[in-house]
Amino acid sequence: MSVQTSDIDEHIVRDFAPRVLAWYDASARVLPWRIAPGSDAVPDPYRIWLAEVMLQQTTVAAVAGYFARFTECWPTVADLAAAEDADVMAAWAGLGYYARARNLLACARAVVAEHGGRFPESEAALRALPGIGDYTAASVAAIAFGRPAVVVDANIERVMARHRLIATPLPLAKREIRAALMPLVPQDRPGDFAQALMDLGATICTPRSPVCAICPLMADCRARGRPDIERLPVKPPKKAKPRRHGLAHWIVREERVWLVRRPGKGMLGGMRALPGGDWTDTRPTESGVAEVNHGFTHFDLTLKLVHRESHDAAAEGEWWPISDLDAAGLPTLYRKLIDKMLERDG
């Protein structure tokens, strides 16, 4: 099914944005990085960009605390650009998808070095920054600078796929969704329009049990009342992920544990971690004191914790107080493993 501009009735093009914005004015979520509708405050591009990067593949509930800590430690893009890599990676620990944190630093430093500490306003210039793709560029351009950009996140995909009854499976449907949304983006308040659609997908046009009766778009939603509305947008079939295995070493001396820093590139790059070998397809035969399963984007990992008496004398690392592991900024994978062992040992 292909959606062309001509497929959208003139009254929808005329009324869509006003309906969405009127609903948003009355029902907008209160979020720490957001300027409330009707406010005279000026959006801060740094806060909007930071929130959008944090929100990628993560929920609003998970991000709120991290956003507060980041903006307290580094209130401006220049502050973040001047931060130590290790401090930023530690502050990010637990939020996942750690390449985002490395890109965050690279982007902040590029904004300072190449743009005098001010984010560029156009989508093209924003896309040229490290770690900023089409979605983030459009979102920052619309919300921070009032540019009429086509912003499409997962919530907006769902709203538009249902409203226009786009049954093409993702990711092929993305082009049709953008084409359907493009003529509907208003010249006035494009940032509020984008955030309104995000809120609509998060609170009303939800993946399960959408509340169609109070949706401002219900009158001309093509999927309304259909028994298969929840399957839209159509997801591609899930591929089975391979499983890898690895060991983590628990080396203790005088109530301190030996921690290393993972290589800057690759999985969990630059993060403090327990030492251990490579993750491979072969399950280790050693018995361990704890084991966890953890899912990454492209594979699942079984990591086993084993006791070791000593560490590689040539390896770089540090002795960290076991009682203060919260301050080490360990990735969730290693914290789950350690917590499981400590819980088992009482």
Side-chain angles (χ1 to χ4, degrees):
M1 181 183 301
S2 177
V3 176
Q4 306 294 332
T5 301
S6 58
D7 293 333
I8 302 177
D9 293 341
E10 183 179 340
H11 82 275
I12 295 177
V13 175
R14 183 185 64 244
D15 298 340
F16 190 96
R19 283 182 288 164
V20 169
L21 288 168
W23 173 83
Y24 182 69
D25 288 342
S27 307
R29 291 180 294 175
V30 177
L31 301 174
W33 47 84
R34 176 179 285 179
I35 300 298
S39 170
D40 293 330
V42 177
D44 182 349
Y46 168 65
R47 292 172 67 88
I48 293 164
W49 161 76
L50 179 62
E52 290 297 348
V53 174
M54 287 185 165
L55 285 165
Q56 293 168 16
Q57 299 173 298
T58 314
T59 64
V60 167
V63 162
Y66 285 88
F67 181 84
R69 289 192 291 275
F70 262 73
T71 51
E72 182 178 355
C73 290
W74 306 292
T76 69
V77 68
D79 294 323
L80 182 60
E84 294 289 337
D85 289 37
D87 292 340
V88 173
M89 297 304 292
W92 191 274
L95 198 52
Y97 301 96
Y98 293 96
R100 291 181 298 164
R102 296 193 293 274
N103 286 333
L104 201 72
L105 275 168
C107 184
R109 289 164 182 166
V111 169
V112 170
E114 300 169 16
H115 298 278
R118 296 173 63 88
F119 278 86
E121 297 188 14
S122 73
E123 285 185 76
L126 287 163
R127 274 196 302 271
L129 292 169
I132 293 189
D134 291 345
Y135 164 74
T136 304
S139 183
V140 174
I143 299 171
F145 299 114
R147 299 293 184 96
V150 181
V151 182
V152 184
D153 72 348
N155 283 317
I156 297 176
E157 278 182 351
R158 186 164 55 255
V159 171
M160 294 307 301
R162 291 173 177 175
H163 187 264
R164 306 315 304 153
L165 194 58
I166 297 172
T168 304
L170 292 169
L172 292 177
K174 290 178 181 290
R175 178 179 294 183
E176 294 178 42
I177 290 169
R178 285 183 59 83
L181 183 58
M182 190 174 298
L184 306 177
V185 176
Q187 295 295 311
D188 182 45
R189 299 181 66 189
D192 281 352
F193 176 75
Q195 293 176 109
L197 287 177
M198 294 174 190
D199 282 11
L200 197 65
T203 63
I204 289 181
C205 195
T206 50
R208 298 286 176 265
S209 303
V211 194
C212 298
I214 60 172
C215 178
L217 301 175
M218 65 177 177
D220 41 40
C221 176
R222 291 179 174 177
R224 184 190 178 198
R226 291 176 62 99
D228 61 348
I229 188 172
E230 292 185 355
R231 78 180 185 95
L232 296 172
V234 179
K235 304 290 179 62
K238 287 188 176 181
K239 296 181 180 179
K241 291 194 290 186
R243 178 164 295 278
R244 296 181 185 171
H245 302 270
L247 293 177
H249 301 158
W250 184 252
I251 307 166
V252 175
R253 177 188 298 172
E254 298 176 352
E255 301 301 319
R256 293 172 179 263
V257 62
W258 182 251
L259 298 181
V260 298
R261 195 171 291 281
R262 292 183 62 83
K265 293 183 178 180
M267 300 300 301
L268 310 179
M271 305 291 293
R272 288 193 184 95
L274 296 173
D278 294 335
W279 301 340
T280 69
D281 297 332
T282 305
R283 185 177 183 87
T285 57
E286 294 183 65
S287 59
V289 294
E291 182 178 285
V292 295
N293 295 309
H294 189 80
F296 291 101
T297 304
H298 300 297
F299 65 92
D300 292 322
L301 174 69
T302 298
L303 190 63
K304 186 183 294 186
L305 187 64
V306 297
H307 278 295
R308 289 285 188 268
E309 294 299 324
S310 61
H311 66 281
D312 181 357
E316 292 187 9
E318 56 193 320
W319 292 105
W320 197 277
I322 296 174
S323 61
D324 195 31
L325 279 173
D326 285 345
L330 292 171
T332 302
L333 165 65
Y334 290 97
R335 279 314 309 254
K336 287 197 305 185
L337 189 62
I338 292 170
D339 289 346
K340 191 169 183 178
M341 181 203 66
L342 295 176
E343 180 180 332
R344 190 206 68 166
D345 292 347

